[in-house]
């Protein structure tokens, strides 16, 4: 039954009727069910690509460690010009955050069933992953901003597929209101070389779409298990030379058993054909879940701002 409902919802999205359709409730906490069952669906034609090497994250990378310094997470509120409401985001400040220093900023986006709490509350443990990376000296100084990527008056996570359109216009809120808020309330570098965007599923699609369309704002772009909102490669990259020059990192991961993998392989194939540096790691046997997304954050965070 779940599968039937889901397929209907996908079809509605495909004909562009999403904004008008009755609410479709997503199961909380991700879609373990994608694994295999939706082979190729939503991701377009499956494309064969050469995946980059999978290297397992070390044991304990996502476990709270004693005897190290911990960062803090605070919920901020900002006025959104494009939505016309006050919106929320969680901000991770690293251990010993010091307003006299300057920090890079990673915008970390959620999926269709989530909101500004998804990474924190649904098993992403971004604060723990980042604390451990800091303790080991593996990351540059950065703060991590986890917004609500559903740019609509009602930005509740219950919106499901019907909120696809709101995900599509989040760039206006992000660039127009959230980034200025973050840069004026925290001690940040504001240039593209110190700003990254990454996300899971719908947030992965948003990161690829918005990151590559705004290379003057984001030099580092990450898509974890990117959803069908991911634009096709030729649309994402209308100017091959420009991406080669202006993008510093285009990095993706997806579960090998995630039926959405085609969204990532189509981009990887285009990049390979056109000589654009691009990573796509196939996480062995995993579906659409936080095992893959935690791995994504762990690796992506180490590659940015360096
Ligand atoms: C779809 C399948 C999955 C889709 C979105 C998703 C917009 C998103 C999944 C997620 O964010 O976890 O067809 O269409």
């Amino acid at each position: 039954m779940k599968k039937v409902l889901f397929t209907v919802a996908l079809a509605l999205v495909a004909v562009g009727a999403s904004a008008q359709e009755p609410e479709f409730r997503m199961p909380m906490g991700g879609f373990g069910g994608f694994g295999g069952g939706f082979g190729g669906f939503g991701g377009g034609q499956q494309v064969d690509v050469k995946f980059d090497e999978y290297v397992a994250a070390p044991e304990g990378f996502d476990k709270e460690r004693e005897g190290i310094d911990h960062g803090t997470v605070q919920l901020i509120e900002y006025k959104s010009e494009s939505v016309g409401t006050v919106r929320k985001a969680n901000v991770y400040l690293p251990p010993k955050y010091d307003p006299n220093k300057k920090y890079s900023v990673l915008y970390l986006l959620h999926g269709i069933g989530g909101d500004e709490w998804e990474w924190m509350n649904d098993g992403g443990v971004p604060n723990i992953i980042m604390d451990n990376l800091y303790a080991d000296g593996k990351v540059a100084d950065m703060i991590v901003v986890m917004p609500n990527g559903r740019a609509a008056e009602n930005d509740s996570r219950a919106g499901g597929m019907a909120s696809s359109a709101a995900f599509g216009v989040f760039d206006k809120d992000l660039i127009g209101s959230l980034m200025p808020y973050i840069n004026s309330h925290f001690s940040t570098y504001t240039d593209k070389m110190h700003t990254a965007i990454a996300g899971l599923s719908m947030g992965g699609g948003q990161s690829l779409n918005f990151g590559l369309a705004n290379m003057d704002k984001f030099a580092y772009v990450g898509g974890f298990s990117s959803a069908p909102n991911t634009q096709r490669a030729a649309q994402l990259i209308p100017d091959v030379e420009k991406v080669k020059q202006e993008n510093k990192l285009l990095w993706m991961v997806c579960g090998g058993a995630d039926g959405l993998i085609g969204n990532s392989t189509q981009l990887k194939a285009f990049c390979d054909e056109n000589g654009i540096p691009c990573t796509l790691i196939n996480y062995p046997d995993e579906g659409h879940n936080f095992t893959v997304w935690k791995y994504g954050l762990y690796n992506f965070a180490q590659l940015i701002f360096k």
Side-chain angles (χ1 to χ4, degrees):
M1 183 57 185
K2 204 197 255 175
K3 185 167 173 178
V4 172
L5 266 181
F6 194 65
T7 307
V8 170
L10 296 181
L12 292 172
V13 168
V15 296
S18 59
Q20 284 79 41
E21 291 310 316
E23 180 177 281
F24 174 72
R25 279 185 191 278
M26 286 295 159
M28 302 292 259
F31 297 95
F34 278 147
F38 292 95
F41 199 101
Q45 198 70 35
Q46 186 55 266
V47 184
D48 280 335
V49 290
K50 188 174 175 305
F51 291 105
D52 293 275
E53 190 192 1
Y54 165 79
V55 179
E59 193 71 30
F61 81 101
D62 57 350
K63 300 285 181 297
E64 193 164 343
R65 218 191 287 168
E66 285 182 17
I68 63 166
D69 292 319
H70 297 284
T72 58
V73 177
Q74 55 179 263
L75 187 66
I76 61 98
E77 295 193 344
Y78 64 100
K79 198 172 168 313
S80 168
E81 295 298 331
S82 67
V83 182
T85 55
V86 172
R87 311 196 69 233
K88 294 188 168 102
N90 271 305
V91 179
Y92 166 86
L93 299 179
K96 299 195 165 105
Y97 171 77
D98 176 358
N100 296 315
K101 277 169 51 177
K102 276 187 186 284
Y103 294 81
S104 297
V105 186
L106 164 60
Y107 290 88
L108 186 63
L109 311 183
H110 61 82
I112 198 147
D115 58 18
E116 71 275 13
W117 286 104
E118 182 175 26
W119 274 93
M120 287 297 296
N121 287 355
D122 289 3
V125 292
N127 53 327
I128 294 175
I129 293 172
M130 294 304 297
D131 284 352
N132 291 342
L133 285 170
Y134 265 98
D136 294 340
K138 288 182 170 169
V139 280
D141 284 338
M142 72 179 94
I143 71 173
V144 181
V145 180
M146 295 166 273
N148 182 320
R150 206 180 279 98
E153 204 172 323
N154 176 359
D155 60 6
S156 145
R157 64 190 294 167
M161 284 292 174
S163 55
S164 288
F167 279 87
V169 295
F170 177 60
D171 52 340
K172 305 212 173 31
D173 176 44
L174 171 66
I175 294 169
S177 301
L178 179 57
M179 290 172 70
Y181 178 94
I182 294 296
N183 290 331
S184 60
H185 288 76
F186 297 95
S187 188
T188 58
Y189 292 110
T190 60
D191 59 304
K192 61 177 273 183
M193 293 303 285
H194 294 90
T195 312
I197 186 166
L200 69 90
S201 200
M202 282 297 272
Q206 287 177 310
S207 298
L208 297 170
N209 295 347
F210 304 157
L212 293 173
N214 297 282
M215 290 189 291
D216 57 327
K217 303 271 186 308
F218 308 99
Y220 308 88
V221 176
F224 313 156
S225 317
S226 300
N229 62 329
T230 309
Q231 289 167 2
R232 301 305 90 176
Q235 204 182 346
L236 278 174
I237 304 182
D239 184 340
V240 167
E241 288 314 310
K242 191 171 150 76
V243 173
K244 283 184 190 168
Q245 274 167 24
E246 298 184 15
N247 175 270
K248 296 296 163 214
L249 181 71
L250 180 50
W251 193 94
M252 298 183 281
V253 62
C254 191
D258 185 336
L260 299 185
I261 199 167
N263 299 303
S264 303
T265 52
Q266 57 97 18
L267 177 56
K268 171 70 171 161
F270 180 93
C271 289
D272 288 353
E273 272 163 32
N274 290 282
I276 299 169
C278 170
T279 299
L280 172 56
I281 293 171
N282 179 336
Y283 194 112
D285 303 327
E286 283 298 334
H288 200 68
N289 60 48
F290 263 109
T291 300
V292 178
W293 306 331
K294 284 189 296 186
Y295 180 84
L297 175 60
Y298 174 80
N299 285 287
F300 185 75
Q302 295 180 62
L303 297 170
I304 56 182
F305 314 134
K306 289 180 169 172

